[in-house]
Amino acid sequence: MDLNRVIKLLEETGKDDLEEKQLKSVKKMVQCYQNGLPLRDLAQIFKILNLCAGKIKKLPHFIEPAYNILKLCGLPFLKMKVSDEITYAEDTANSIALLGDLMIIPSSELRIQICKCIIDFYHAEPPKKHITGYQQASSSYKIKMAEVGGLAKTMVQSLVLLENQLVEKLWVLKTLQHLSASEANCTLMVKAQAASGICAHLNDPDPSGQLLFRSSEILWNLLEKSSKEEIIQQLSNLECLLALKKVFKNLFTRGLSHYDRQLRNDILVITTIISRNPGAPMTECGFTRDLILFATFNEVKSQNPLVKGLKFSNSYEDFELKKLLFNIIVTFCKDLSTIQLLIDGKVILALFTYVKKPEKHKIVEWSAAQYEELQLHAIATLSSVAPFLIDEYMLYQGNARVLAFLEWCDSEDFFFSHGNSFHGTGGRGNKFAQMRYSLRLLRAMVHLEHETINKDLCEKRAIQQLIGIFKNTISKYNDKDEAILLEIQSDILLILSGLCEHHIPRKETFGTEGVDIILHVMKTDPKKLQSGLGYNVLLFSTLDSIWCCILGCYPSEDYFLEKEGIFLLLDLMALNQKKFCNLILGIMVEFCDNPKTGAHVNAWRGKKDQTAASLLIKLWRKEEKELGVKRDKHGKIVDTKKPLFTSFQEEQKITPLPANCPTIAVMDVAENIRAKIYAVLGKLDFENLPGLSAEDFVTLCIIHRYLDFKIGEIWNEIYEEIKLEKLRPVTTDKKILESIITASENIGKMTASLQSEMIESQARQDVQNEQKVYTKVQATHKQRELANKSWENFLARTSNVKTLKKAKRLQENGIQSSRYSERPPNAIFHRTDIKGLNTTIRKILSDMIQQVLRSPVSLSKTPTTIHFNQEDQNAALSTGGCAGGYVMCTFVANQHHSCRTIQVFE
């Protein structure tokens, strides 16, 4: 088909029979493309469509050809080559975008056909007839090109033209419903203010009910797939909220069908999202008051005609509505302007109707599983709402209700919970979920630090009850519910901390039973801290309870010390986990005020016999390394002017600050653990710390002077600030300031000098110790050489007759030389040789062995032992080994080494 000829013909004017020719050519073109539009011809075909549309105003006969061309647009697009989709992408996008521009044509028939054409993009059908050389474009190609061309934006803008034309409007909404399925189209629709434009007309007359359904679907898609903040901003106006209010009230009071209830819940969800915007005029339009009424009418009887005669059924939609109303109440309580409305609506009383044990044989509108879920949801809602309505909470005896409910949760009463909801997680077959949310409520109220609430709880024996619950959770422990039990225990400890802090009598009530549960937690296996189940949170709560419930109460402190609590604290500190160290050191500082603590700290021993002082000094070195403090390889001070300066302080320039603003040097005290380590070691006495190495003593010199260094650091900041502000102190002040800075620097030099002496002394000591070791090794080697030499001489004497004779002569000469030249009178003469000794030691031994062999004892069963005297010892030893080739002899000294024995074996 020569499309250029058709275009040229449509562009001509002035001829008489031109209209008929034009209509005929367009009709011929439509017949030619009955099986689909090729991508390469698409731009020309849409140009023809545009020309036809331009003639409709003057020549109504062109409506039909335009309509027919639009029908063709619903057919599949065809391509000759695979690359056609990319090659003709721009032409296709511009062509499809033209469909939205054609909505301005005042023809209902054409507008509806445009909508049908676009909807067909999402329901692609195969070509009616296969054309040789052509293939169908991918099913998502039209949708993608519609996004690129910005069709969704023009379709939204067309709604303005259709305010009084319901049928066409419904078709446009149906089209937008399809288009809003993609994020790109939703973004375009948001730019065209689709949310506010659609929401404002929710209540337009529509007997079919499609307008409300399709509009809510579009709003849902916009909220899910585009900028939620921008959508909320568009809907946060009086016109939109009044429309939503009217729709919701109608559906709530008159909607009876399953469809109406679903739509009602959808509208409420959209409203809940809008209510999170503080600028939304929810209260001004009266929507907040109505929603509070709908949320509480079932629990608190109301004479309002809106809810007169209304009842919830146990259908899924009504059940979901109840939960959604609880949710929106939580949103309302964050806006202080709605607090009075919550009070007037008796929200607290309505929610407290669920905080009680289930009553038997009572007819309720909810099933057991539904009631349980609503109960948990109500308690969770109370945790958010009650802190804003303290007077209402106390008026309705909130503490008494919660404690009574907790008593039931901790009792052994049979209760089969379903645990099949978000709030009921881990609560199937037990009452842990109810206990968990009740404790959350108490925790929220206690941490308001409102004395009336806390005092009321203590008067109702809450401390004793919570300690009892904690003990019972220990006995009920099982791996399946481990995470929930840990959360329950953490909340109990946090509540006890909030109640006991700053109140000595309450700490006394906490007493030894409370200390026992704290000690139980502190004995937890350290490996569990990395499990991710909540042991870390529990340990933090435990440390907080030590601070709030034990410190300051001397009986509890003494009991804690008696039960080796300090040892457990130091064991935790030795785990070297920074997240715990700061809190533990703070506790240690306070505990050291007790005179009994020092002995416990010094008695503690960790791995490799590490002492507490050594552990603290090690933590100091680690902290300084992380802070980037300058130290040499021995841990000695490098910069005597700034001995404590961190890398952060070096980077920060000193700037003049008001007197009430802390400087960097002051903030440094609170931002690391060095000050606490100094305080603990100071209370333990720097001079008598056990188990320290030379490196520890070098570091201890710095710790000992921490306060002096910090004071000097602050004075140095003051001096620098004065310089920056170009102030000139009076002469006396200037001299004093310079003296202080000089004195601080001298302290640094003195400390560095002392460290140097310690390092040198240790080096000398190391040299001396090394020399002692070398001397010992040398003596050992010398002794070994002498022993070897003696053994060699001995072997030589027993193996060589000449050597033996020579030794004998030397012995006799030595004996002779030692005698007097003249015998003293009355002297007794003693012979030095053994009389009758005419045989060798080997002969003696052989005779002994022969004696054994002649004995009746079986040698294979028991060894035979032959004793010989001390005189034969050396001779017997010299023979050892094998005798006669068939007997093995060993020589064993007896206990007193007075003689030797020979054990003979086969």
Side-chain angles (χ1 to χ4, degrees):
M1 183 84 188
D2 187 358
L3 295 176
N4 288 327
R5 181 175 171 278
V6 178
I7 293 170
K8 188 176 180 181
L9 183 61
L10 288 170
E11 288 176 344
E12 290 181 3
T13 55
K15 295 182 180 180
D16 296 336
D17 58 347
L18 185 62
E19 181 182 349
E20 186 179 348
K21 289 181 179 180
Q22 290 172 339
L23 291 170
K24 188 176 180 181
S25 64
V26 173
K27 184 177 180 181
K28 187 177 180 182
M29 184 205 73
V30 170
Q31 290 176 348
C32 182
Y33 292 104
Q34 283 297 316
N35 293 309
L37 302 178
L39 291 176
R40 65 177 186 174
D41 297 338
L42 206 59
Q44 293 172 302
I45 293 171
F46 269 85
K47 188 173 182 180
I48 293 170
L49 174 61
N50 196 29
L51 290 171
C52 291
K55 296 177 180 291
I56 289 174
K57 189 174 182 181
K58 294 181 180 179
L59 303 170
H61 294 95
F62 276 91
I63 291 177
E64 185 179 353
Y67 179 86
N68 291 331
I69 295 173
L70 286 171
K71 287 181 71 176
L72 295 179
C73 295
L75 298 174
F77 288 169
L78 305 175
K79 60 183 179 182
M80 292 184 68
K81 301 177 182 178
V82 175
S83 61
D84 280 358
E85 291 187 3
I86 300 173
T87 304
Y88 300 107
E90 185 177 354
D91 291 342
T92 306
N94 294 334
S95 300
I96 291 176
L98 183 63
L99 294 175
D101 297 332
L102 295 178
M103 290 296 293
I104 62 173
I105 299 173
S107 169
S108 176
E109 188 179 4
L110 284 179
R111 286 170 174 171
I112 292 172
Q113 184 55 45
I114 290 170
C115 293
K116 288 180 178 179
C117 174
I118 297 170
I119 292 169
D120 286 340
F121 291 178
Y122 295 85
H123 306 285
E125 296 180 2
K128 296 179 180 178
K129 181 181 179 182
H130 178 70
I131 303 175
T132 307
Y134 286 93
Q135 291 180 341
Q136 183 179 351
S138 59
S139 58
S140 61
Y141 184 68
K142 284 184 177 182
I143 298 171
K144 187 176 179 181
M145 292 300 103
E147 294 172 0
V148 174
L151 177 62
K153 185 176 180 180
T154 53
M155 292 303 292
V156 171
Q157 292 168 346
S158 69
L159 281 172
V160 180
L161 307 171
L162 309 173
E163 288 186 2
N164 300 317
Q165 300 174 38
L166 179 61
V167 177
E168 297 168 29
K169 185 190 290 188
L170 291 176
W171 274 105
V172 172
L173 288 174
K174 186 177 181 180
T175 305
L176 289 173
Q177 187 178 348
H178 283 80
L179 290 171
S180 63
S182 74
E183 293 183 8
N185 284 335
C186 285
T187 303
L188 292 169
M189 292 168 68
V190 170
K191 291 180 180 178
Q193 301 292 310
S196 57
I198 291 172
C199 185
H201 294 86
L202 287 175
N203 291 291
D204 287 359
D206 175 28
S208 68
Q210 290 187 48
L211 186 144
L212 185 56
F213 165 70
R214 300 195 187 282
S215 297
S216 64
E217 183 72 18
I218 294 168
L219 290 175
W220 261 108
N221 289 339
L222 290 174
L223 285 167
E224 286 182 354
K225 297 175 182 177
S226 62
S227 172
K228 186 178 289 187
E229 291 74 18
E230 195 168 346
I231 298 296
I232 292 173
Q233 200 62 41
Q234 287 186 25
L235 297 176
S236 297
N237 58 70
L238 201 58
E239 186 180 11
C240 291
L241 287 173
L242 284 171
L244 287 169
K245 174 188 172 183
K246 185 176 180 181
V247 169
F248 183 77
K249 284 173 65 176
N250 287 336
L251 291 171
F252 190 89
T253 55
R254 300 172 190 171
L256 300 175
S257 68
H258 177 76
Y259 164 77
D260 287 341
R261 290 172 177 174
Q262 282 186 333
L263 193 56
R264 172 198 64 189
N265 292 356
D266 290 346
I267 295 296
L268 183 55
V269 173
I270 294 171
T271 305
T272 304
I273 294 171
I274 298 170
S275 67
R276 293 173 186 168
N277 179 17
M282 292 284 296
T283 306
E284 290 81 350
C285 70
F287 204 178
T288 301
R289 185 182 295 275
D290 288 345
L291 288 171
I292 292 172
L293 173 65
F294 294 146
T296 59
F297 82 92
N298 210 35
E299 293 79 21
V300 179
K301 298 306 177 184
S302 172
Q303 299 302 319
N304 193 304
L306 271 177
V307 294
K308 192 173 182 180
L310 283 178
K311 281 187 177 181
F312 282 125
S313 67
N314 61 357
S315 66
Y316 177 78
E317 289 75 24
D318 282 357
F319 176 59
E320 286 296 314
L321 174 66
K322 191 66 179 177
K323 293 193 292 182
L324 290 171
L325 289 170
F326 283 165
N327 280 341
I328 204 166
I329 287 174
V330 174
T331 307
F332 287 156
C333 72
K334 296 174 183 177
D335 184 3
L336 296 179
S337 64
T338 64
I339 296 298
Q340 189 58 46
L341 294 177
L342 293 172
I343 294 171
D344 295 342
K346 298 182 179 180
V347 170
I348 295 292
L349 179 60
L351 293 171
F352 265 126
T353 58
Y354 292 93
V355 187
K356 59 184 179 181
K357 67 178 182 179
E359 297 180 10
K360 296 179 180 179
H361 310 299
K362 183 178 179 182
I363 300 173
V364 292
E365 59 272 17
W366 310 113
S367 67
Q370 287 176 332
Y371 181 81
E372 180 191 339
E373 190 170 344
L374 288 177
Q375 182 184 59
L376 295 172
H377 205 146
I379 301 171
T381 305
L382 271 171
S383 301
S384 300
V385 178
F388 295 96
L389 304 172
I390 296 173
D391 293 339
E392 295 294 300
Y393 178 84
M394 296 303 295
L395 175 65
Y396 298 121
Q397 295 292 315
N399 287 335
R401 290 172 183 260
V402 177
L403 291 176
F405 189 65
L406 274 174
E407 186 178 356
W408 171 76
C409 293
D410 193 42
S411 67
E412 297 297 329
D413 291 353
F414 175 77
F415 174 72
F416 183 78
S417 60
H418 294 76
N420 55 355
S421 66
F422 168 78
H423 296 291
T425 303
R428 186 169 183 80
N430 55 54
K431 293 175 276 190
F432 288 153
Q434 285 79 0
M435 182 183 292
R436 176 188 187 189
Y437 281 95
S438 300
L439 288 170
R440 282 189 188 180
L441 172 57
L442 272 186
R443 186 187 68 189
M445 300 310 296
V446 167
H447 282 271
L448 293 172
E449 296 184 0
H450 195 283
E451 186 54 30
T452 304
I453 295 174
N454 292 356
K455 184 180 179 182
D456 182 59
L457 279 170
C458 294
E459 288 175 353
K460 290 180 170 55
R461 297 176 58 82
I463 294 175
Q464 295 92 325
Q465 184 176 345
L466 291 171
I467 292 173
I469 292 173
F470 193 102
K471 288 182 177 179
N472 289 337
T473 59
I474 295 172
S475 62
K476 294 175 183 177
Y477 174 82
N478 60 74
D479 293 336
K480 183 180 177 182
D481 304 318
E482 187 174 9
I484 293 177
L485 286 170
L486 290 174
E487 183 183 341
I488 288 171
Q489 292 174 349
S490 298
D491 285 344
I492 289 173
L493 291 176
L494 288 173
I495 294 167
L496 291 171
S497 298
L499 292 174
C500 297
E501 191 174 11
H502 310 309
H503 293 273
I504 300 298
R506 294 177 189 173
K507 293 182 181 183
E508 291 173 352
T509 304
F510 185 79
T512 57
E513 289 188 355
V515 175
D516 286 335
I517 63 174
I518 287 175
L519 293 170
H520 172 81
V521 176
M522 293 177 69
K523 293 175 183 177
T524 302
D525 185 356
K527 294 178 183 177
K528 292 183 177 180
L529 296 175
Q530 309 300 329
S531 65
L533 293 172
Y535 281 98
N536 279 335
V537 177
L538 178 59
L539 188 54
F540 273 119
S541 303
T542 304
L543 294 174
D544 185 55
S545 61
I546 293 173
W547 196 298
C548 299
C549 303
I550 296 177
L551 287 172
C553 179
Y554 297 121
S556 296
E557 284 186 11
D558 291 346
Y559 185 74
F560 185 80
L561 292 171
E562 181 185 338
K563 293 293 183 178
E564 300 182 348
I566 289 295
F567 289 179
L568 295 173
L569 281 174
L570 290 169
D571 287 339
L572 287 173
M573 196 187 301
L575 295 176
N576 206 12
Q577 295 192 17
K578 192 173 182 180
K579 53 191 173 186
F580 298 126
C581 284
N582 197 7
L583 190 52
I584 293 172
L585 283 169
I587 294 170
M588 293 289 294
V589 171
E590 297 295 330
F591 248 115
C592 284
D593 287 337
N594 190 320
K596 299 177 182 178
T597 304
H600 287 260
V601 175
N602 288 328
W604 178 82
R605 292 294 181 272
K607 290 182 179 179
K608 298 181 181 179
D609 207 31
Q610 185 183 33
T611 62
S614 176
L615 173 62
L616 291 169
I617 294 170
K618 182 181 177 182
L619 287 174
W620 175 284
R621 283 197 294 268
K622 182 183 176 184
E623 185 75 3
E624 286 201 329
K625 185 177 180 180
E626 291 176 358
L627 294 172
V629 181
K630 293 179 180 178
R631 298 280 184 261
D632 68 4
K633 62 180 182 179
H634 300 294
K636 199 176 96 174
I637 293 173
V638 174
D639 187 353
T640 55
K641 291 183 179 180
K642 302 173 181 178
L644 298 177
F645 251 45
T646 65
S647 58
F648 176 76
Q649 288 176 279
E650 291 282 357
E651 293 169 2
Q652 296 295 316
K653 294 181 180 179
I654 296 175
T655 54
L657 295 171
N660 60 345
C661 291
T663 62
I664 297 173
V666 175
M667 289 298 293
D668 175 71
V669 176
E671 289 175 352
N672 56 70
I673 62 175
R674 291 189 294 179
K676 292 177 181 177
I677 293 174
Y678 165 77
V680 174
L681 291 175
K683 291 182 178 182
L684 294 176
D685 187 1
F686 285 106
E687 303 299 328
N688 298 305
L689 298 175
L692 300 185
S693 63
E695 186 183 12
D696 292 337
F697 278 113
V698 170
T699 307
L700 189 63
C701 292
I702 302 172
I703 301 174
H704 195 186
R705 289 292 185 176
Y706 174 79
L707 190 58
D708 295 329
F709 290 151
K710 185 55 68 174
I711 291 171
E713 197 176 299
I714 293 169
W715 276 109
N716 186 61
E717 278 189 339
I718 294 170
Y719 187 57
E720 293 296 329
E721 286 188 24
I722 289 172
K723 284 183 180 179
L724 289 171
E725 292 179 348
K726 297 181 180 179
L727 298 175
R728 185 178 176 185
V730 296
T731 305
T732 307
D733 288 346
K734 186 176 181 181
K735 287 181 179 179
I736 293 171
L737 187 57
E738 289 174 350
S739 299
I740 292 171
I741 293 171
T742 304
S744 176
E745 187 176 351
N746 288 338
I747 292 172
K749 290 178 179 178
M750 182 180 67
T751 305
S753 176
L754 180 60
Q755 287 179 311
S756 298
E757 290 178 9
M758 287 183 174
I759 292 168
E760 291 171 4
S761 174
Q762 181 62 31
R764 288 194 296 270
Q765 184 66 39
D766 290 343
V767 170
Q768 290 176 4
N769 292 339
E770 188 177 354
Q771 189 62 44
K772 286 180 181 179
V773 173
Y774 284 144
T775 304
K776 189 175 180 180
V777 171
Q778 188 176 8
T780 302
H781 279 286
K782 188 173 181 180
Q783 185 68 25
R784 190 173 295 163
E785 289 174 3
L786 291 173
N788 290 338
K789 189 174 181 181
S790 175
W791 177 253
E792 289 172 359
N793 291 335
F794 176 74
L795 287 179
R797 291 196 306 273
T798 58
S799 303
N800 194 321
V801 176
K802 292 181 180 180
T803 305
L804 182 60
K805 289 179 179 180
K806 185 179 179 181
K808 179 67 174 177
R809 285 195 300 270
L810 289 173
Q811 186 182 27
E812 289 176 349
N813 291 337
I815 293 171
Q816 190 62 33
S817 64
S818 66
R819 288 175 176 171
Y820 291 102
S821 56
E822 296 180 2
R823 184 183 298 177
N826 302 322
I828 300 173
F829 177 75
H830 296 278
R831 293 182 61 84
T832 59
D833 55 349
I834 300 173
K835 194 172 183 179
L837 186 62
N838 297 317
T839 185
T840 62
I841 294 299
R842 186 178 296 275
K843 182 65 171 65
I844 295 170
L845 182 59
S846 179
D847 292 342
M848 289 180 178
I849 293 172
Q850 291 300 325
Q851 180 185 350
V852 172
L853 294 175
R854 287 193 296 269
S855 65
V857 180
S858 176
L859 296 178
S860 62
K861 294 181 180 178
T862 55
T864 301
T865 303
I866 304 171
H867 295 268
F868 56 97
N869 59 24
Q870 186 68 28
E871 294 177 0
D872 297 329
Q873 176 177 334
N874 291 334
L877 281 173
S878 66
T879 62
C882 187
Y886 56 89
V887 178
M888 179 63 70
C889 303
T890 58
F891 300 90
V892 184
N894 68 1
Q895 184 177 2
H896 304 289
H897 299 278
S898 58
C899 70
R900 297 271 181 166
T901 62
I902 304 175
Q903 290 183 327
V904 184
F905 300 87
E906 281 187 336

